Each structure stands twice: as C-alpha cells, then as structure tokens.
Amino acid sequence: MSTQSIMELVEKTALKENPPQFDIGDTVDVHLKILEGNKERIQVFSGVVIARSGTGSKEMFSVRRIVAGEGVERKFPVHSPKIEKVEVTRSAIVRRAKLYFLRGRVGKAVRLKERRRV
C-alpha cells in the first residue's frame, strides 16, 4: 500500500457518520464537551459561522460572537469528537464565502438578513 492510500484510510476512520449541516451566515449553537478534572460537561458556544475551510477530516469552521462588546472568534473541527452537536438557530442570506467583513462592524451593522425556511 502506498502512503497516500494509508493516509486516506486513517482519515476515513476519523470522519463522523453524519456531520452537522450548516452554511456560512448561519447562527449556530456549538455544544462542546468540556473536561474539568474527572467530570465532563457540555458548554454552548453560539455565534455566526463566518468561514469554512478544508476538506475531509481537516475541515474547520469559524464562529464569531460578541461578548461584552468585544468580538470573539473560535475555530472548530467539523469532525471533532469533542463536538456533541451543532444546532442551527437562524439562517441568513449571504453573498460571500467568508464573512470577515463582520469583524469591522459593531452593533446593528453586524445583523444579516434572515433566510426564509421551507
């Protein structure tokens, strides 16, 4: 076996059966498993998905939210075992693949137009 086919085999085992379905501009709640000592709890990070990158087991997404007037961004691997679930709370109409322009906006300017769900 070549090293490339071995890598593909290893990556396939790391993929989730049904990865979460969401798009750029969606407001999501990311439920994370946090280990504190010997206890495990779920912590929710909610915000707008501003970017997706990578493919396969290396696929990542960035979520941005405002905390105490300060912008906080966090990147998550889509296929991470620490992610319990990703819930879409709102969908927005966007015309860009990356929403980095939201970094320069404050207050009501950060809002995106909501997409109607069928």
Side-chain angles (χ1 to χ4, degrees):
M1 286 184 104
S2 68
T3 55
Q4 188 174 12
S5 61
I6 292 172
M7 287 300 293
E8 288 174 5
L9 184 67
V10 170
E11 282 186 7
K12 281 184 183 177
T13 60
L15 297 178
K16 284 186 177 179
E17 292 282 328
N18 49 352
Q21 299 296 318
F22 56 90
D23 292 318
I24 308 297
D26 289 355
T27 303
V28 295
D29 292 340
V30 183
H31 296 257
L32 293 162
K33 293 178 189 174
I34 304 291
L35 197 66
E36 291 178 341
N38 57 357
K39 294 181 182 177
E40 191 176 90
R41 66 182 181 89
I42 302 291
Q43 185 178 35
V44 180
F45 188 90
S46 55
V48 178
V49 178
I50 62 166
R52 280 184 88 144
S53 62
T55 58
S57 64
K58 300 180 196 94
E59 189 174 359
M60 307 278 281
F61 65 100
S62 297
V63 179
R64 179 179 175 82
R65 73 177 188 179
I66 307 296
V67 178
E70 199 69 30
V72 177
E73 288 183 19
R74 191 158 174 196
K75 287 185 87 170
F76 300 101
V78 172
H79 298 283
S80 172
K82 289 191 174 191
I83 293 181
E84 185 74 23
K85 64 181 174 181
V86 177
E87 289 180 352
V88 178
T89 56
R90 267 184 87 212
S91 288
I93 300 169
V94 292
R95 298 170 63 178
R96 302 277 179 274
K98 307 279 194 261
L99 303 181
Y100 296 142
F101 65 88
L102 293 179
R103 292 174 176 166
R105 296 188 175 186
V106 213
K108 287 186 177 182
V110 178
R111 290 183 302 176
L112 300 168
K113 289 185 181 176
E114 192 163 353
R115 180 185 313 154
R116 302 269 187 249
R117 291 199 178 178
V118 178

